[in-house]
Amino acid sequence: MNERTLRQVIPGQPTSDGAGVKLSRSLGSQPGLRFDPFLMLDEFYTDEPSDYLAGFPAHPHRGFETVTYMLDGHMQHKDNFGHTGDLAPGDVQWMTAARGIIHSEMPQQTAGRMRGFQLWLNLPASEKMKPAGYRDIPSAKIPTAALDGGGRARVIAGSVTQSGVKTDGPVLGATTAPLYLDIDLAAGVSAAVSVPNGHNAFVYLYEGTASIGTEARPLPLRGAGLLSDGDTLKLTAGAQGARLLLIAGKPLREPVVQYGPFVMNTREEIEQALEDYRSGRFGHETEAA
Ligand code: MN
């Protein structure tokens, strides 16, 4: 057994995106701050409608996947393939932009709390130009696993095995083998979770206090805590309990060239993406099943 430890923290930076939605960006806040295969992690968390009302009007993506996880509030997705999806608390939208999609993400509320995450997950070169795909995953389809030592995890992607019982999340089998867990630990609880050797893993604390590993290195709130390699992770909640994301995936080890919402392997491919977008060649292929 080789325990993972906290090796680097990427603090959350306040920023805004879309038409002026306020959010905190950790991964991806600067081009060098990615963690292969993860490109970006945003948390939006506000009780103030003026922080989110403008939403994210129509915009394109190519070359990767966006994973949106809502904790509070209501957002509506619409895209140029005719998909409409409503995201309510606990729901996930897994959008594989691949060769191109144009969508909007707009709040469907004018008051109250809006809280959730958007993760950008890269695709390998061989899949960047496959047809776009889209999945709405309602909260009821996301299983919860009891963790050894206490606490529980919602399994959004990948699998968790605890006390010999395997819990599969709704998203399985992608090339990057993503693991996406939303973990809830009561005060003082210590849980151990397996993460495959060689996969890049990070932890994002969004409520309470927690520490990592036997050495109990504290995690800052709203920072991406990048972990060393290993096959197991020990998480311990502080006196207020902890809510955190554990996200892991198989690194692609390919060049990343990003221009805003386009993430490809070369500059030429970015130029092609811009040309295809400008000339209306996004979203004209047969849509994925
Ligand atoms: Mn988007």
Side-chain angles (χ1 to χ4, degrees), residues 41-109:
L41 179 69
D42 285 348
E43 178 183 3
F44 41 99
Y45 176 26
T46 178
D47 295 315
E48 187 51 60
S50 62
D51 288 347
Y52 60 73
L53 280 176
F56 302 86
H59 60 277
H61 293 283
R62 174 179 278 184
F64 61 103
E65 306 188 86
T66 68
V67 181
T68 308
Y69 177 33
M70 289 295 283
L71 293 177
D72 296 290
H74 182 185
M75 292 269 271
Q76 186 183 66
H77 157 105
K78 279 188 182 175
D79 67 38
N80 60 327
F81 294 104
H83 301 123
T84 300
D86 277 317
L87 278 169
D91 295 347
V92 169
Q93 184 206 67
W94 200 286
M95 189 183 84
T96 305
R99 78 168 305 281
I101 198 162
I102 301 168
H103 75 158
S104 61
E105 300 156 289
M106 299 301 288
Q108 302 298 299
Q109 66 191 52

